[in-house]
Amino acid sequence: MLSNSIELVDRHLAQNVSIDITQQMVRIDSTNGKEADLGNRLAAQLELIGVGRVWVEEVFDGRVNTFWEIDSGKPGPHLLFTGHLDTKPVCEGWTRDPFDAAIEQSRLFGHGVMDMKAGLGCQIGAMKTLIDAGMTFNGKITFCAVCDHMGDQTGAIDLFKRHKFDYCILGELTDMQIYVAHRGRYYFDISTIGRSAHTCHKYRAINAIEKMLPVAEELSKLKYFPNISDELKELVGPELFTAVGRIYGGLFPGGPSMIPDRCTIRVDTRPQPGVLLEEVRALLDGAIEKAKARDPDIRVEVVVADVKNSFMVPTDAKVVTCLREAWETVMNRPAQFRGGSWLADTASVGHLCETVIFGPGGDPVYQPDESLALSDMEAATRINTLTALKLLA
């Protein structure tokens, strides 16, 4: 039975659809905030397939989630293929049009091809393979490309507020590996409070930027290894990463002269699964106390600005098991589970559905002349197809 399925998949593999859809998506600039055009045009392309139901749902400000659903008409599980429409901005240094989606030397070039337009294309190609092969399954499969991943993950949150699923495959770039975990993100806004004055009255003022310098210096010295399992250390790394990512202080250049009474830094921390907000806050508080020991006049405010959860799925979960079996069938070697240091939509919704992360493309990403091997897209399309068959058999 399985060998027959593999033969059917190979005979009808729609890798041409995966590649064509990806090319069309790459040609559309979908930088976060501008992805509505891609969402609507992708829906139009899916309509041309002529099978199943296609629709869009507005999330906010005209930005949409794009859906394609094929229903077997039989009772069974509900599988979600998903990923995000939006990208980061184009970086400097491209030697070609970042939106040309050209194919050269068996690679597809273009901004955002890895994060994660090829992942979406290979999910669509897998569903088209099932249709072309006439393969039967139970339940239904929904594809949804969401907006605003690079913002507040509003698209994914809205998707799971309106719909329920049994299994989910998130097509983020995993370099063709199976990701079962990723780190979270805690943002802290730390402000030093001074006293403002005109520059000519320097000695009546307390310069908040100057008071921030020892705080930022102590934070930069942090090196912390939380008490986590060896399994987690192997998946996502042993060290908890912290960095001062942004700084705000004083008046904008070109404005009036004034000694600043407030300076704020945003501290970006990346905790492993199981590392709680309170543990990370205590770590930062310790660094702040060291700065105060150097300068007792430092006054500090700390605000938790954002929390995005870490993610981990048991390796014996059905969605993981089925993906692993499909992966090993296609790749012809044992699979090894991996984890990510980046943040996926699973930070907001991974606890709502049994989810695994798998897709083509890998680091480094968002660099000049980004490209992806067509062979990876073909393999990803095949693996997605076989995983769906195993889940919905």
Side-chain angles (χ1 to χ4, degrees), residues 20-41:
D20 181 59
I21 289 284
T22 301
Q23 283 183 292
Q24 293 182 57
M25 288 191 288
V26 167
R27 291 179 183 129
I28 301 169
D29 180 1
S30 61
T31 304
N32 179 259
K34 300 192 295 183
E35 67 269 39
D37 184 34
L38 174 57
N40 287 304
R41 289 167 69 175

Side-chain angles (χ1 to χ4, degrees), residues 82 116 123 168-183 310-313 319-320 323 327 336-340 342-347 350 354-360 384:
T82 190
M116 52 168 292
Q123 293 177 342
C168 173
I169 298 174
L170 175 60
E172 283 281 7
L173 59 160
T174 65
D175 206 15
M176 297 296 291
Q177 302 299 312
I178 300 172
Y179 275 35
V180 295
H182 66 64
R183 293 173 182 249
S310 57
F311 165 76
M312 189 167 185
V313 61
V319 71
V320 178
L323 176 58
W327 192 96
Q336 292 184 325
F337 298 125
R338 307 294 174 108
W342 38 252
L343 203 67
D345 282 328
T346 32
E354 191 177 289
T355 302
V356 68
I357 308 173
F358 167 75
N384 283 334

